[in-house]
Amino acid sequence: MTPSNKKKIVWGALLALIAISLLFSGGLTALENTLIIVALPFSLAIIFMMISLLIELKHEKNKMGLSITPDRLPKTDQPFKSYSED
């Protein structure tokens, strides 16, 4: 996705005008509040992604047996293998 230079200039100008209008209308506080409100949905998406990753890692650990138990400890100078080579 490579936007044309015209689109880049329009978006840049729009963002600058929004930031300038927020600074003039409410000062830096208004700009900070707007940024926090805009970032909130993204933060929630990141939190949900972290939760789903943890659930999937737990599922993978349980299904593949990826845990160290005393009977599966590696011998000296041997790497740990969480799977059996059949």
Side-chain angles (χ1 to χ4, degrees):
M1 295 179 62
T2 308
S4 65
N5 287 337
K6 183 179 178 181
K7 286 182 183 178
K8 291 179 192 177
I9 291 171
V10 169
W11 273 105
L14 283 174
L15 289 175
L17 288 174
I18 291 170
I20 290 169
S21 65
L22 284 171
L23 281 172
F24 282 134
S25 66
L28 191 57
T29 306
L31 185 59
E32 288 174 349
N33 291 338
T34 304
L35 291 175
I36 290 170
I37 291 169
V38 169
L40 183 63
F42 183 71
S43 315
L44 294 175
I46 295 294
I47 290 170
F48 288 136
M49 287 173 29
M50 290 183 339
I51 291 169
S52 67
L53 175 65
L54 290 174
I55 291 170
E56 186 59 33
L57 288 174
K58 184 177 178 183
H59 175 74
E60 187 173 331
K61 176 186 170 190
N62 292 337
K63 291 296 179 184
M64 295 182 69
L66 299 175
S67 60
I68 298 177
T69 57
D71 61 329
R72 294 174 43 176
L73 286 174
K75 296 176 178 47
T76 306
D77 298 331
Q78 294 283 328
F80 173 70
K81 292 184 180 178
S82 61
Y83 53 89
S84 60
E85 295 177 353
D86 293 331

